[in-house]
Amino acid sequence: ASIGHEIRNPLTTVRGFLQLFQGRNEYAQDKQNMEVMITELDRANSIITEFLSLAKNRMINLKPHNLNRTIEGLYPLIYAAALLEGKEICLELAPDIPGVLADENEIRQLILNLTRNAIEAVSKGGKVTISTCFDGKYMVLAIKDTGCGIPAEIYEKLGMPFLTTKENGTGLGLAVCYRIVQRHNARIEVITGAGGTTFCVRFSRPV
Ligand SMILES: Nc1ncnc2c1ncn2[C@@H]1O[C@H](COP(=O)(O)OP(=O)(O)OP(=O)(O)O)[C@@H](O)[C@H]1O
Ligand SMILES: [Mg+2]
């Protein structure tokens, strides 16, 4: 079996027992701690999932695809997350853009990871702009924030697994993004400064 299963199966067993014990009166005083344990197991599980998605030989399903549709589909989710933190989300989607060959799930992941970073980078009242355009050759997806930029020592290592400056960060978000971009024969460009950061993804082969 894969390493994923080998690690996940024991986690699932432990999680099952915790859930069972949670319902027992004799453990009433530990109920809350068990909830924490379950949450932590779930976190370990999702880190494994994320890490495994870095695998080089992963199968992806490329189909003609309109980036605007994906962004519009994710918008309610992104908007709610930003609103909760008092941050602004702005969409600037070019009409009638050509499609790209893409894997729907991976593109969703890419947009969510970049947007989450952008939301995390801005302070209350800050703004995140998601835009698309066709520059004549490439389909461009850009996520721009008004945060304080990426420090040089982090910028140099961007995309390295487990690189993080966040207390609760895993440092897998961008590693996953870079892998997705690579699998799509796309390019990622990062423009960063004191006024904020823009992640630009250029997709070739418009269809
Ligand atoms: N838009 C941004 N503005 C400023 N810094 C950023 C931005 N995006 C990424 N970074 C920096 O790059 C680091 C790595 O980002 P990455 O998304 O890989 O991990 P993370 O956000 O720390 O954790 P997670 O695994 O939860 O995504 C971040 O910790 C942060 O320091
Ligand atoms: Mg992140």
Side-chain angles (χ1 to χ4, degrees):
S2 71
I3 179 91
H5 278 102
E6 296 298 333
I7 301 172
R8 254 193 278 251
N9 287 344
L11 289 183
T12 307
T13 311
V14 176
R15 193 185 192 284
F17 276 114
L18 279 171
Q19 247 180 340
L20 186 73
F21 294 165
Q22 248 191 338
R24 291 195 181 160
N25 287 334
E26 61 210 278
Y27 296 128
Q29 70 185 63
D30 295 313
K31 203 171 149 69
Q32 228 159 30
N33 287 336
M34 287 183 179
E35 196 54 52
V36 174
M37 291 163 86
I38 289 175
T39 309
E40 290 296 290
L41 285 176
D42 289 344
R43 205 160 72 91
N45 203 24
S46 58
I47 291 172
I48 294 165
T49 305
E50 222 179 337
F51 186 67
L52 289 176
S53 78
L54 292 176
K56 254 206 186 94
N57 54 0
R58 198 159 165 269
M59 289 283 287
I60 57 168
N61 185 10
L62 295 177
K63 284 190 186 140
H65 199 79
N66 188 309
L67 290 179
N68 287 354
R69 297 297 90 75
T70 310
I71 295 169
E72 284 160 356
L74 289 172
Y75 182 68
L77 191 78
I78 295 170
Y79 175 78
L83 191 71
L84 211 64
E85 297 177 25
K87 296 161 186 181
E88 190 187 339
I89 296 279
C90 186
L91 294 191
E92 288 174 5
L93 308 182
D96 305 323
I97 52 167
V100 292
L101 275 183
D103 179 293
E104 165 97 51
N105 285 331
E106 295 225 313
I107 294 301
R108 285 170 60 96
Q109 193 69 57
L110 173 74
I111 295 168
L112 282 177
N113 287 4
L114 292 179
T115 308
R116 181 102 289 275
N117 280 347
I119 292 173
E120 284 166 355
V122 302
S123 36
K124 233 186 169 87
K127 184 170 159 184
V128 172
T129 309
I130 306 174
S131 65
T132 57
C133 72
F134 182 59
D135 71 1
K137 190 166 181 212
Y138 299 105
M139 256 310 306
V140 187
L141 162 74
I143 320 276
K144 181 179 168 197
D145 67 61
T146 57
C148 56
I150 305 174
E153 69 272 20
I154 299 297
Y155 182 84
E156 284 160 23
K157 299 183 204 148
L158 230 45
M160 251 175 65
F162 304 112
L163 172 81
T164 185
T165 55
K166 299 171 192 170
E167 203 174 329
N168 291 313
T170 307
L172 282 176
L174 278 183
V176 168
C177 288
Y178 277 80
R179 185 65 92 208
I180 291 173
V181 163
Q182 193 183 44
R183 279 197 281 257
H184 283 78
N185 292 314
R187 285 268 147 75
I188 209 163
E189 188 193 354
V190 190
I191 304 146
T192 189
T197 304
T198 304
F199 280 83
C200 242
V201 186
R202 287 190 168 74
F203 293 89
S204 50
R205 296 189 300 176
V207 283

